[in-house]
Amino acid sequence: MMISYNFFNPTRLVFGEHTLGQVGKWIADSGYTRVLLLAGAGSIQKNGVYDAVTASLNAEKIQWAECFGVQPNPSLSKVREAINLALEHQVEAVLAVGGGSVIDTAKAVAAGVFLDDIWQAFEGEIRISKALPVFTVLTLSATASEMNGNAVITNERDKKKWGIGSSFLYPKVSIIDPSVQTSLPWEQTVNGALDALAHIMEFYFVGKEEETSISIHEALMKTIIAMVDKLQENPKDVDSRANLAWAATLALNGISGAGMRGGDWACHGMEHSISCLNSSIAHGAGLGILFPAWMQYVYDENPKQFNRFAQNIWQSASLSAAIRKMRARIKKWQGHTRLHELGIREEQLNGLAENAVAQGSLGRLKKLHKSDVEQILRLAY
Ligand code: NZQ
Ligand code: ZN
């Protein structure tokens, strides 16, 4: 029987080419006049996104303070720096212009201005009960952070890459102009798609009788794979960018999780340790390597669903044949299929497993303890 669930998503999504110029209007319509603009290392200055966004703010007489330099796998120290700026400038809202790292930082800042120490929320010591409104202009489709209430931040000192989730952290308005993603380096397009695929798989493999959600998952997975194939032929194909963008948002905005028992999330737990201890490794790249190994390890817990995946997504008669095809496709996309290709050394695997279970065992389909995690990492190595 399909389990009970409640679905909540208050984010307004403004989707389409030439929508960047609306950002000022949406902020002004919400009654705000002073924002903190957060961004990454500067891709938005090269591809015209910054100019379009600031022209739109100027047109609505919205003042802003800027904080550039949010790094992939964003850090707690940057969150703290941005909280201080937000307080100093008494901003009324936070505007994230970038990918998931920038948006996650914006959410932590939005909650953090009301707290003595935002990290306490990640430790589960305090509950978020208030946050500044967050607006986003998405430049990389991957995390769905543009339409969910989650943020993942790395505490560099304590070596913890942990998440928070709160209904106060859903962006108020998110703008997705898929054409701005034509400036992405190819590997970031692939990493983003692998992350979106992983989000669907985290729900799909715990599936049993939830035919509506499972069918949505299969449509999303097939679409993502097909769009990456098309973009590899022509990275400037805006229709494929748009389809990939919408699929990535749907992968983790609550729709795909409806009725799916909260999902499994063991692969995400393992990956967060990898990109925590090696901050130059992209989240999606790690997931693309871990998932096939995890599938192999937990197959017996839900063979019907793994066989269905093999058949419907990879036209294969067995999971092992499907995994071979999946790895071949990731290779064709110039992605990685083994942990050692990311520069991870074998002697690191034990420490990675230790870090991954620091908050307790991982996974729902099969509870994974440290020794299970280490075995999966070895299968992925
Ligand atoms: O820093 P800039 O110069 O902007 O460059 C970025 C960055 O180097 C670049 N980029 C983004 N848009 C671009 C572009 N380059 C050219 N043209 C564009 N249009 O891409 C690089 C990666 O950006 P990042 O934001 O780090 O990527 P992503 O969106 O994949 O975010 C990954 C982070 O989100 C977390 C991950 O763990 C990771 O820390 N996640 C957040 C989730 C959530 N909030 O729900 C869930 C996920 O499972 C995930 O854990
Ligand atoms: Zn993810």
Side-chain angles (χ1 to χ4, degrees):
M1 203 181 74
M2 202 165 154
I3 63 152
S4 309
Y5 65 90
N6 76 65
F7 173 78
F8 169 77
N9 198 314
T11 301
R12 179 189 296 277
L13 208 66
V14 179
F15 190 101
E17 262 189 280
H18 314 300
T19 49
L20 296 188
Q22 294 185 28
V23 64
K25 175 188 144 345
W26 285 111
I27 294 172
D29 281 359
S30 307
Y32 308 118
T33 57
R34 200 193 290 266
V35 302
L36 177 69
L37 189 161
L38 273 175
S43 68
I44 64 167
Q45 286 162 318
K46 294 185 199 132
N47 61 10
V49 170
Y50 176 80
D51 288 345
V53 167
T54 52
S56 173
L57 297 179
N58 278 327
E60 298 290 341
K61 301 195 170 41
I62 292 164
Q63 297 183 326
W64 73 92
E66 284 180 1
C67 180
F68 274 79
V70 174
Q71 289 171 349
N73 304 316
S75 67
L76 179 60
S77 55
K78 192 70 189 179
V79 168
R80 292 204 162 119
E81 176 193 327
I83 290 174
N84 288 337
L85 259 181
L87 292 170
E88 185 189 322
H89 292 270
Q90 298 188 322
V91 301
E92 300 154 331
V94 186
L95 169 59
V97 186
S101 296
V102 175
I103 299 175
D104 285 5
T105 301
K107 291 173 180 175
V109 171
V113 295
F114 296 109
L115 301 171
D116 289 338
D117 176 9
I118 180 63
W119 190 254
Q120 287 184 305
F122 289 81
E123 295 277 353
E125 289 162 7
I126 45 168
R127 186 183 270 269
I128 292 167
S129 57
K130 211 171 170 185
L132 291 176
V134 173
F135 293 79
T136 88
V137 172
L138 182 71
T139 64
L140 166 49
S141 285
T143 63
S145 188
E146 68 277 10
M147 204 177 179
N148 68 38
N150 308 327
V152 184
I153 298 292
T154 300
N155 179 328
E156 320 91 293
R157 196 198 62 188
D158 296 352
K159 305 277 179 227
K160 293 173 176 174
K161 185 177 181 184
W162 287 5
I164 43 173
S166 162
S167 52
F168 294 98
L169 296 180
Y170 284 77
K172 193 163 172 60
V173 180
S174 281
I175 300 204
I176 304 180
D177 177 344
S179 70
V180 309
Q181 300 193 31
T182 55
S183 62
L184 278 171
W186 174 246
E187 60 169 330
Q188 298 294 2
T189 299
V190 174
N191 291 339
L194 290 172
D195 187 25
L197 270 181
H199 295 156
I200 300 162
M201 293 191 288
E202 295 286 13
F203 294 118
Y204 181 86
F205 290 118
V206 300
K208 289 186 180 132
E209 308 298 336
E210 308 79 4
E211 190 55 40
T212 306
S213 293
I214 291 169
S215 297
I216 290 172
H217 297 157
E218 291 180 347
L220 291 174
M221 287 192 275
K222 286 187 217 166
T223 304
I224 291 167
I225 294 163
M227 292 310 121
V228 179
D229 282 343
K230 288 179 81 169
L231 286 169
Q232 194 166 24
E233 296 288 311
N234 177 14
K236 305 257 177 251
D237 171 4
V238 177
D239 283 330
S240 299
R241 290 274 173 205
N243 277 302
L244 179 56
W246 183 217
T249 300
L250 285 168
L252 197 53
N253 73 345
I255 300 265
S256 63
M260 302 310 300
R261 301 173 191 82
D264 187 84
W265 301 103
C267 286
H268 268 73
M270 292 187 278
E271 195 302 309
H272 285 158
S273 290
I274 290 176
S275 54
C276 175
L277 299 178
N278 309 266
S279 64
S280 60
I281 294 180
H283 173 61
L287 288 167
I289 295 171
L290 290 172
F291 248 103
W294 173 85
M295 287 179 204
Q296 234 173 303
Y297 194 78
V298 304
Y299 172 83
D300 288 339
E301 306 297 322
N302 198 0
K304 192 168 152 227
Q305 195 68 356
F306 284 105
N307 292 339
R308 179 174 169 158
F309 171 78
Q311 185 69 50
N312 291 359
I313 306 301
W314 298 102
Q315 295 75 48
S316 299
S318 66
L319 180 67
S320 49
I323 286 176
R324 274 197 298 279
K325 283 194 183 172
M326 185 173 166
R327 286 198 171 121
R329 190 66 63 95
I330 294 172
K331 276 203 174 123
K332 174 182 164 272
W333 294 341
Q334 296 159 21
H336 298 291
T337 56
R338 295 287 171 189
L339 289 178
H340 68 82
E341 296 168 25
L342 300 181
I344 292 173
R345 286 170 288 109
E346 203 169 352
E347 58 269 26
Q348 283 182 286
L349 300 184
N350 186 281
L352 284 168
E354 181 86 43
N355 187 280
V357 297
Q359 282 178 294
S361 61
L362 297 178
R364 178 170 294 261
L365 198 53
K366 182 177 170 69
K367 259 201 190 326
L368 304 178
H369 303 285
K370 187 186 161 195
S371 62
D372 301 296
V373 171
E374 202 172 336
Q375 287 183 65
I376 293 171
L377 293 175
R378 290 198 186 283
L379 284 173
Y381 192 73

